[in-house]
Amino acid sequence: MSSSKNNRVIIAMSGGIDSSVAALLMKQQGYECAGITMKLFDSEYNGDIDYEKTCCSLSDIEDARSVAYSLDMPYYVFNFKDSFDENVIRRFVNAYIQGSTPNPCIDCNRFIKFRRLFQRAKELEYDYVVTGHYARMEYDNANGKYLLKKGVDEKKDQSYVLYSMSQKQLAHVKFPLGGLTKPEVRKIAEEHGFLNAHKKESQDICFIKKNQNGDYADFIEKYTGRTFQPGDFVDTAGNILGRHNGIIRYTIGQRRGLGVALNQPMYVQNKCVETNTVTLCTDEELYSKNLTARDINLITVDRIDGKINIKAKVRYNQKEQPAVAEQTGDDELRVEFDSPQRAITRGQAVVLYDGDIVVGGGTIL
């Protein structure tokens, strides 16, 4: 097929079902397609990863290559390891050390898929980047902006991790799975005999080995060469409850694995790097209504004027909750929920929705 204007697409292929079906659908729609897999990391810091549960890992390259060749598409592997280390792994490690709990999938989309991959696509004269995300994009003639919308499959919707996309990026991206459900996608893969039709879902952070002895902490200590010292567990009044094994080994809302005997169920409420303390609280004390976010990105508007009634969520697999949002600075949002939310966590994203449209979002302080 000869090339024509706005007809050339580059498809990010992780070796999984979703990106494979995305490639198939673009071929069926008559686009000139090329498949690519991004080489993002080596396993020098984490030993043997369970690649069945990760995405974008080295062992997936052959699956992606097989699907690309079966669709008669050229296929390439791009080495983005340096960029991934700088913009995803290092940001994750630094945030964790400072007591935050970041979402590296958001940074991967922001800095790798929709920055470095966009740059490479432009260099190679491709018109669009295509991914297997369950999200939708459409142009709103009324306000002259591209809109990011939730995927129709509520269980698989991935708009939360895409909130940082710019208008320029949305103009050159396609999400062919946005109008499909996961069972429909799996059925398409089966009907076309894709070898990965029954591949397991990716669940964990791709560059970290999941185990029973520290998970993120083990990785961070190997990556930094540092050992994080024990300190005190304290309650909300400052009373010492016991000793912790280093603040990087705990996450907000955690109950299990604290290693301290208590009279009632207690949860991690806060981590203070300066005092090397981990604050524990009751379940009731985990709830709060307000948050402040920075490093914000707005999609539907250039700025939020006054207070607006929206829905918002503070973690990927949470249902959006009614709230009032207000922009309190050039790079600051304040969100007040109608009802208290459990374990609002510094470093995670808050994403604002107007129905199924993503208004924007930011990083929780």
Side-chain angles (χ1 to χ4, degrees):
M1 181 176 64
S2 61
S3 176
S4 61
K5 185 172 176 59
N6 296 329
N7 191 53
R8 306 185 75 226
V9 302
I10 197 164
I11 299 154
M13 301 183 70
S14 66
I17 302 169
D18 296 332
S19 56
S20 298
V21 172
L24 170 66
L25 295 176
M26 297 308 293
K27 283 285 288 188
Q28 290 178 338
Q29 293 173 35
Y31 286 91
E32 180 182 340
C33 303
I36 69 96
T37 296
M38 296 174 288
K39 187 176 182 181
L40 301 179
F41 63 92
D42 292 326
S43 57
E44 59 183 301
Y45 299 112
N46 47 27
D48 297 322
I49 295 175
D50 182 359
Y51 288 115
E52 282 285 301
K53 296 182 179 180
T54 65
C55 67
C56 306
S57 59
L58 303 182
S59 64
D60 290 328
I61 290 176
E62 289 308 315
D63 286 350
R65 190 194 312 273
S66 172
V67 171
Y69 286 175
S70 75
L71 296 174
D72 194 26
M73 290 166 38
Y75 174 78
Y76 309 97
V77 177
F78 293 163
N79 187 342
F80 289 157
K81 287 194 298 181
D82 289 345
S83 293
F84 189 78
D85 181 75
E86 177 183 355
N87 294 296
V88 181
I89 299 180
R90 198 171 304 168
R91 285 172 65 92
F92 171 86
V93 169
N94 289 340
Y96 230 90
I97 290 173
Q98 294 303 314
S100 295
T101 306
N103 187 326
C105 294
I106 290 176
D107 283 342
C108 183
N109 285 318
R110 179 180 179 183
F111 296 108
I112 308 301
K113 290 188 179 77
F114 300 115
R115 181 174 295 181
R116 284 302 312 279
L117 187 54
F118 263 73
Q119 292 171 348
R120 188 65 61 87
K122 184 177 181 180
E123 292 167 1
L124 297 174
E125 299 184 337
Y126 283 90
D127 305 300
Y128 295 96
V129 169
V130 178
T131 72
H133 286 104
Y134 287 80
R136 292 174 291 160
M137 185 282 299
E138 66 181 47
Y139 186 73
D140 181 8
N141 289 304
N143 70 0
K145 286 184 178 292
Y146 291 92
L147 302 179
L148 174 64
K149 303 180 72 174
K150 293 169 63 175
V152 298
D153 188 336
E154 286 278 345
K155 294 180 180 178
K156 289 296 297 178
D157 168 52
Q158 293 171 298
S159 58
Y160 174 85
V161 296
L162 300 172
Y163 79 86
S164 64
M165 293 188 71
S166 68
Q167 285 292 309
K168 184 176 181 180
Q169 291 166 344
L170 287 168
H172 293 279
V173 71
K174 290 187 180 293
F175 301 124
L177 305 190
L180 299 172
T181 65
K182 182 69 179 196
E184 290 171 334
V185 169
R186 194 175 294 279
K187 183 178 180 182
I188 293 170
E190 291 171 348
E191 290 174 346
H192 285 81
F194 288 162
L195 80 168
N196 56 8
H198 297 283
K199 197 169 187 175
K200 293 180 181 179
E201 292 282 280
S202 59
Q203 298 171 340
D204 300 321
I205 296 175
C206 62
F207 55 87
I208 293 181
K209 179 181 179 180
K210 194 74 173 174
N211 59 44
Q212 297 178 343
N213 300 308
D215 300 333
Y216 304 164
D218 288 351
F219 174 84
I220 291 168
E221 289 188 333
K222 289 179 182 177
Y223 185 88
T224 61
R226 291 176 55 186
T227 299
F228 292 82
Q229 297 301 314
D232 290 328
F233 281 122
V234 297
D235 63 18
T236 53
N239 300 307
I240 296 175
L241 303 176
R243 297 286 284 175
H244 67 69
N245 294 319
I247 62 172
I248 63 170
R249 300 187 182 277
Y250 307 92
T251 57
I252 305 303
Q254 178 180 340
R255 175 188 171 187
R256 297 183 177 179
L258 299 178
V260 58
L262 301 166
N263 295 327
Q264 61 179 322
M266 299 285 276
Y267 303 81
V268 175
Q269 183 194 58
N270 188 39
K271 301 184 291 182
C272 182
V273 175
E274 289 76 13
T275 60
N276 193 26
T277 55
V278 175
T279 301
L280 303 183
C281 68
T282 63
D283 185 66
E284 293 77 12
E285 291 173 309
L286 270 183
Y287 287 81
S288 55
K289 293 181 68 173
N290 302 298
L291 66 83
T292 301
R294 289 185 184 156
D295 194 16
I296 66 174
N297 182 66
L298 299 175
I299 296 176
T300 60
V301 292
D302 295 325
R303 183 182 177 91
I304 295 175
D305 294 321
K307 296 182 178 181
I308 60 170
N309 293 303
I310 44 88
K311 289 190 174 182
K313 63 179 184 176
V314 295
R315 57 182 56 84
Y316 175 72
N317 53 9
Q318 179 193 30
K319 178 70 177 174
E320 312 92 72
Q321 302 296 317
V324 174
E326 179 182 17
Q327 187 167 348
T328 50
D330 290 339
D331 187 33
E332 185 174 281
L333 287 174
R334 182 171 174 80
V335 179
E336 181 174 353
F337 289 93
D338 291 5
S339 58
Q341 303 298 304
R342 190 177 189 275
I344 295 177
T345 303
R346 179 158 48 106
Q348 291 285 296
V350 58
V351 179
L352 314 180
Y353 289 86
D354 178 7
D356 61 356
I357 298 170
V358 176
V359 176
T363 303
I364 297 169
L365 293 183

